[in-house]
PDB file of all heavy atoms in Angstrom:
ATOM      1  N   SER B  45     128.025 105.890  98.882  1.00  0.00           N
ATOM      2  CA  SER B  45     127.160 105.373  99.905  1.00  0.00           C
ATOM      3  C   SER B  45     127.271 103.860 100.017  1.00  0.00           C
ATOM      4  O   SER B  45     127.325 103.301 101.127  1.00  0.00           O
ATOM      5  CB  SER B  45     125.721 105.802  99.577  1.00  0.00           C
ATOM      6  OG  SER B  45     124.820 105.063 100.305  1.00  0.00           O
ATOM      7  N   SER B  46     127.308 103.177  98.899  1.00  0.00           N
ATOM      8  CA  SER B  46     127.362 101.681  98.925  1.00  0.00           C
ATOM      9  C   SER B  46     128.678 101.231  99.478  1.00  0.00           C
ATOM     10  O   SER B  46     128.715 100.286 100.290  1.00  0.00           O
ATOM     11  CB  SER B  46     127.123 101.113  97.506  1.00  0.00           C
ATOM     12  OG  SER B  46     128.226 101.428  96.701  1.00  0.00           O
ATOM     13  N   THR B  48     130.703 102.717 101.612  1.00  0.00           N
ATOM     14  CA  THR B  48     130.805 102.917 103.083  1.00  0.00           C
ATOM     15  C   THR B  48     130.017 101.814 103.823  1.00  0.00           C
ATOM     16  O   THR B  48     130.361 101.483 104.965  1.00  0.00           O
ATOM     17  CB  THR B  48     130.207 104.291 103.523  1.00  0.00           C
ATOM     18  OG1 THR B  48     128.853 104.373 103.063  1.00  0.00           O
ATOM     19  CG2 THR B  48     131.037 105.440 102.975  1.00  0.00           C
ATOM     20  N   LYS B  49     129.006 101.258 103.174  1.00  0.00           N
ATOM     21  CA  LYS B  49     128.247 100.159 103.832  1.00  0.00           C
ATOM     22  C   LYS B  49     128.885  98.801 103.588  1.00  0.00           C
ATOM     23  O   LYS B  49     128.923  97.960 104.477  1.00  0.00           O
ATOM     24  CB  LYS B  49     126.813 100.150 103.286  1.00  0.00           C
ATOM     25  CG  LYS B  49     126.008 101.345 103.782  1.00  0.00           C
ATOM     26  CD  LYS B  49     124.793 101.599 102.933  1.00  0.00           C
ATOM     27  CE  LYS B  49     124.147 102.906 103.336  1.00  0.00           C
ATOM     28  NZ  LYS B  49     123.275 103.473 102.310  1.00  0.00           N
ATOM     29  N   ILE B  59     122.834  99.735 112.080  1.00  0.00           N
ATOM     30  CA  ILE B  59     122.067 100.960 111.703  1.00  0.00           C
ATOM     31  C   ILE B  59     120.650 100.591 111.336  1.00  0.00           C
ATOM     32  O   ILE B  59     119.694 101.230 111.804  1.00  0.00           O
ATOM     33  CB  ILE B  59     122.779 101.666 110.539  1.00  0.00           C
ATOM     34  CG1 ILE B  59     124.170 102.175 110.924  1.00  0.00           C
ATOM     35  CG2 ILE B  59     121.936 102.832 110.008  1.00  0.00           C
ATOM     36  CD1 ILE B  59     125.025 102.660 109.773  1.00  0.00           C
ATOM     37  N   TYR B  63     116.691 101.488 113.360  1.00  0.00           N
ATOM     38  CA  TYR B  63     115.457 102.118 112.842  1.00  0.00           C
ATOM     39  C   TYR B  63     114.206 101.432 113.384  1.00  0.00           C
ATOM     40  O   TYR B  63     113.113 101.986 113.343  1.00  0.00           O
ATOM     41  CB  TYR B  63     115.421 102.092 111.299  1.00  0.00           C
ATOM     42  CG  TYR B  63     116.195 103.275 110.708  1.00  0.00           C
ATOM     43  CD1 TYR B  63     117.537 103.158 110.402  1.00  0.00           C
ATOM     44  CD2 TYR B  63     115.566 104.495 110.478  1.00  0.00           C
ATOM     45  CE1 TYR B  63     118.218 104.271 109.894  1.00  0.00           C
ATOM     46  CE2 TYR B  63     116.246 105.562 109.973  1.00  0.00           C
ATOM     47  CZ  TYR B  63     117.584 105.435 109.657  1.00  0.00           C
ATOM     48  OH  TYR B  63     118.281 106.515 109.160  1.00  0.00           O
ATOM     49  N   GLU B  82     122.577  99.553  95.745  1.00  0.00           N
ATOM     50  CA  GLU B  82     123.071 100.939  95.586  1.00  0.00           C
ATOM     51  C   GLU B  82     124.281 100.986  94.658  1.00  0.00           C
ATOM     52  O   GLU B  82     124.404 101.875  93.802  1.00  0.00           O
ATOM     53  CB  GLU B  82     123.459 101.543  96.930  1.00  0.00           C
ATOM     54  CG  GLU B  82     122.261 101.922  97.777  1.00  0.00           C
ATOM     55  CD  GLU B  82     122.677 102.645  99.070  1.00  0.00           C
ATOM     56  OE1 GLU B  82     123.853 102.617  99.427  1.00  0.00           O
ATOM     57  OE2 GLU B  82     121.773 103.193  99.711  1.00  0.00           O
ATOM     58  N   MET B 113     112.659 108.284 106.669  1.00  0.00           N
ATOM     59  CA  MET B 113     113.176 109.475 107.402  1.00  0.00           C
ATOM     60  C   MET B 113     111.984 110.251 107.999  1.00  0.00           C
ATOM     61  O   MET B 113     112.066 110.674 109.142  1.00  0.00           O
ATOM     62  CB  MET B 113     113.962 110.381 106.490  1.00  0.00           C
ATOM     63  CG  MET B 113     115.319 109.859 106.125  1.00  0.00           C
ATOM     64  SD  MET B 113     116.295 109.717 107.595  1.00  0.00           S
ATOM     65  CE  MET B 113     117.429 108.480 107.116  1.00  0.00           C
ATOM     66  N   GLY B 124     123.234 108.126 113.658  1.00  0.00           N
ATOM     67  CA  GLY B 124     122.895 109.138 112.657  1.00  0.00           C
ATOM     68  C   GLY B 124     121.938 108.532 111.642  1.00  0.00           C
ATOM     69  O   GLY B 124     121.342 107.453 111.902  1.00  0.00           O
ATOM     70  N   CYS B 125     121.776 109.149 110.475  1.00  0.00           N
ATOM     71  CA  CYS B 125     120.857 108.588 109.484  1.00  0.00           C
ATOM     72  C   CYS B 125     121.418 107.315 108.874  1.00  0.00           C
ATOM     73  O   CYS B 125     120.689 106.485 108.360  1.00  0.00           O
ATOM     74  CB  CYS B 125     120.476 109.602 108.407  1.00  0.00           C
ATOM     75  SG  CYS B 125     121.786 109.829 107.161  1.00  0.00           S
ATOM     76  N   GLY B 126     122.754 107.148 108.912  1.00  0.00           N
ATOM     77  CA  GLY B 126     123.346 105.957 108.384  1.00  0.00           C
ATOM     78  C   GLY B 126     123.453 105.927 106.879  1.00  0.00           C
ATOM     79  O   GLY B 126     123.766 104.927 106.276  1.00  0.00           O
ATOM     80  N   CYS B 127     123.193 107.100 106.269  1.00  0.00           N
ATOM     81  CA  CYS B 127     123.226 107.178 104.800  1.00  0.00           C
ATOM     82  C   CYS B 127     124.589 106.830 104.224  1.00  0.00           C
ATOM     83  O   CYS B 127     124.748 106.227 103.164  1.00  0.00           O
ATOM     84  CB  CYS B 127     122.814 108.577 104.334  1.00  0.00           C
ATOM     85  SG  CYS B 127     121.447 109.266 105.235  1.00  0.00           S
ATOM     86  N   PHE B 128     125.657 107.217 104.974  1.00  0.00           N
ATOM     87  CA  PHE B 128     127.021 106.967 104.538  1.00  0.00           C
ATOM     88  C   PHE B 128     127.785 106.288 105.631  1.00  0.00           C
ATOM     89  O   PHE B 128     128.869 106.695 106.033  1.00  0.00           O
ATOM     90  CB  PHE B 128     127.726 108.272 104.111  1.00  0.00           C
ATOM     91  CG  PHE B 128     126.997 108.998 103.019  1.00  0.00           C
ATOM     92  CD1 PHE B 128     126.231 110.130 103.262  1.00  0.00           C
ATOM     93  CD2 PHE B 128     127.049 108.539 101.698  1.00  0.00           C
ATOM     94  CE1 PHE B 128     125.564 110.789 102.284  1.00  0.00           C
ATOM     95  CE2 PHE B 128     126.375 109.188 100.694  1.00  0.00           C
ATOM     96  CZ  PHE B 128     125.636 110.322 100.976  1.00  0.00           C
ATOM     97  N   GLY B 129     127.185 105.243 106.221  1.00  0.00           N
ATOM     98  CA  GLY B 129     127.799 104.558 107.346  1.00  0.00           C
ATOM     99  C   GLY B 129     127.479 105.222 108.649  1.00  0.00           C
ATOM    100  O   GLY B 129     126.801 106.257 108.714  1.00  0.00           O
ATOM    101  N   ASP B 140     118.258 115.499 106.675  1.00  0.00           N
ATOM    102  CA  ASP B 140     118.170 114.086 106.238  1.00  0.00           C
ATOM    103  C   ASP B 140     117.065 113.887 105.184  1.00  0.00           C
ATOM    104  O   ASP B 140     117.279 113.224 104.167  1.00  0.00           O
ATOM    105  CB  ASP B 140     117.896 113.190 107.447  1.00  0.00           C
ATOM    106  CG  ASP B 140     118.937 113.391 108.529  1.00  0.00           C
ATOM    107  OD1 ASP B 140     120.119 113.097 108.256  1.00  0.00           O
ATOM    108  OD2 ASP B 140     118.590 113.849 109.634  1.00  0.00           O
ATOM    109  N   LYS B 143     117.972 115.726 101.843  1.00  0.00           N
ATOM    110  CA  LYS B 143     118.939 115.003 101.011  1.00  0.00           C
ATOM    111  C   LYS B 143     118.209 113.977 100.118  1.00  0.00           C
ATOM    112  O   LYS B 143     118.461 113.896  98.921  1.00  0.00           O
ATOM    113  CB  LYS B 143     119.920 114.207 101.922  1.00  0.00           C
ATOM    114  CG  LYS B 143     121.168 114.972 102.288  1.00  0.00           C
ATOM    115  CD  LYS B 143     122.156 114.063 102.963  1.00  0.00           C
ATOM    116  CE  LYS B 143     121.748 113.662 104.365  1.00  0.00           C
ATOM    117  NZ  LYS B 143     122.768 113.025 105.159  1.00  0.00           N
ATOM    118  N   ASP B 144     117.290 113.224 100.720  1.00  0.00           N
ATOM    119  CA  ASP B 144     116.585 112.196  99.960  1.00  0.00           C
ATOM    120  C   ASP B 144     115.652 112.797  98.929  1.00  0.00           C
ATOM    121  O   ASP B 144     115.524 112.263  97.848  1.00  0.00           O
ATOM    122  CB  ASP B 144     115.836 111.262 100.920  1.00  0.00           C
ATOM    123  CG  ASP B 144     116.799 110.405 101.717  1.00  0.00           C
ATOM    124  OD1 ASP B 144     117.827 109.995 101.165  1.00  0.00           O
ATOM    125  OD2 ASP B 144     116.532 110.147 102.883  1.00  0.00           O
TER     126      ASP B 144
END
Side-chain angles (χ1 to χ4, degrees):
Chain B
S45 165
S46 68
T48 57
K49 289 161 189 160
I59 295 170
Y63 276 92
E82 284 186 348
M113 287 296 155
C125 78
C127 318
F128 302 104
D140 305 297
K143 268 190 290 192
D144 290 325

